[in-house]
């Protein structure tokens, strides 16, 4: 009996060690990711998903292309794309950076190859990798790309609002 108990304990320990050492390749980030849940620390309400009419979209291209947008279903039932940013990302050996910002080690907590979770400013997020029609991805990327403010308008905003 002790022999079987010892074998069972050894097997469980081995399985836990293997699970803890599971490494997801950096290339697994490539694709489209949709925020599945978002919950502010200390709050019970989860804001995001089908019921809420709100989610976020991130795109990671194999060449370092990055886009982020919010997707909202308005009162009339129309989808509104709110571009957040468009540019580049990098992920190498666990070091992650968006838009050239300071890289953070292990900023992405991989649950498995299609699910990540993390905390940003006391907001706990869960993201799922999702295959979307090319037409949808292209439209959201185009919205993010055209969000750029022309240089002359940039200058006017700086002069009038950020003196």
């Amino acid at each position: 009996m002790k022999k079987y108990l010892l074998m069972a304990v050894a097997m469980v320990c081995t399985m836990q060690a293997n699970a803890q050492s599971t490494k997801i390749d950096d290339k697994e980030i490539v694709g489209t990711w949709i925020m599945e849940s978002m919950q502010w620390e200390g709050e019970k309400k989860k804001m995001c998903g089908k019921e809420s009419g709100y989610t976020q979209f991130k795109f990671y291209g194999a060449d370092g292309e990055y886009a982020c947008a919010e997707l909202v279903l308005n009162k009339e039932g129309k989808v509104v794309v709110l571009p957040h940013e468009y540019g580049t990302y990098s992920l190498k050996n666990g070091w992650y950076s968006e838009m050239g910002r300071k890289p953070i080690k292990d900023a992405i907590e991989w649950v498995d190859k299609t699910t990540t979770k993390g905390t940003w400013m006391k907001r706990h997020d869960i993201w799922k990798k999702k295959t979307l029609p090319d037409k949808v991805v292209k439209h959201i990327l185009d919205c993010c790309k055209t969000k750029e403010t022309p240089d002359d308008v940039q200058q006017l905003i700086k002069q009038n609002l950020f003196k």
Side-chain angles (χ1 to χ4, degrees), residues 150-163:
D151 288 340
D152 61 330
V153 177
Q154 286 258 353
Q155 190 60 34
L156 288 169
I157 292 171
K158 287 176 186 175
Q159 286 174 347
N160 290 282
L161 299 174
F162 298 110
K163 286 184 181 181

Side-chain angles (χ1 to χ4, degrees), residues 14 37 44 74 80 95 98 100 141 148:
T14 302
S37 82
K44 292 181 181 178
N74 71 16
V80 178
W95 287 92
E98 295 171 350
L141 288 175
E148 295 301 312

Side-chain angles (χ1 to χ4, degrees), residues 16-150:
Q16 283 183 325
N18 286 343
Q20 290 173 354
S21 66
T22 299
K23 168 95 169 81
I24 306 294
D25 290 335
D26 290 346
K27 68 181 178 189
E28 296 300 331
I29 198 171
V30 172
T32 302
W33 293 79
I34 303 298
M35 182 185 276
E36 185 174 86
S37 82
M38 169 177 73
Q39 185 175 16
W40 292 96
E41 199 167 292
E43 292 188 10
K44 292 181 181 178
K45 183 179 180 183
K46 290 186 179 181
M47 303 161 37
C48 211
K50 292 178 182 176
E51 302 83 31
S52 70
Y54 173 86
T55 193
Q56 290 185 22
F57 162 100
K58 286 193 177 189
F59 174 81
Y60 299 98
D63 60 353
E65 180 181 26
Y66 166 76
C68 180
E70 295 174 272
L71 304 173
V72 180
L73 194 58
N74 71 16
K75 288 187 265 183
E76 291 79 34
K78 298 224 180 213
V79 175
V80 178
V81 177
L82 303 168
H84 178 65
E85 55 189 6
Y86 177 81
T88 60
Y89 80 97
S90 65
L91 176 61
K92 187 161 177 100
N93 299 322
W95 287 92
Y96 177 74
S97 174
E98 295 171 350
M99 306 298 290
R101 293 185 281 266
K102 182 180 174 186
I104 302 169
K105 178 73 170 158
D106 298 324
I108 299 172
E109 184 179 338
W110 293 92
V111 175
D112 56 38
K113 288 184 177 189
T114 61
T115 309
T116 65
K117 64 181 183 175
T119 301
W120 179 77
M121 298 187 72
K122 297 189 179 192
R123 186 186 78 198
H124 305 281
D125 302 339
I126 297 176
W127 291 81
K128 288 279 193 181
K129 193 172 193 179
K130 185 167 178 96
T131 302
L132 296 173
D134 290 342
K135 188 174 186 174
V136 171
V137 174
K138 182 184 179 326
H139 174 73
I140 297 171
L141 288 175
D142 287 346
C143 287
C144 290
K145 287 177 188 177
T146 58
K147 171 190 167 267
E148 295 301 312
T149 306

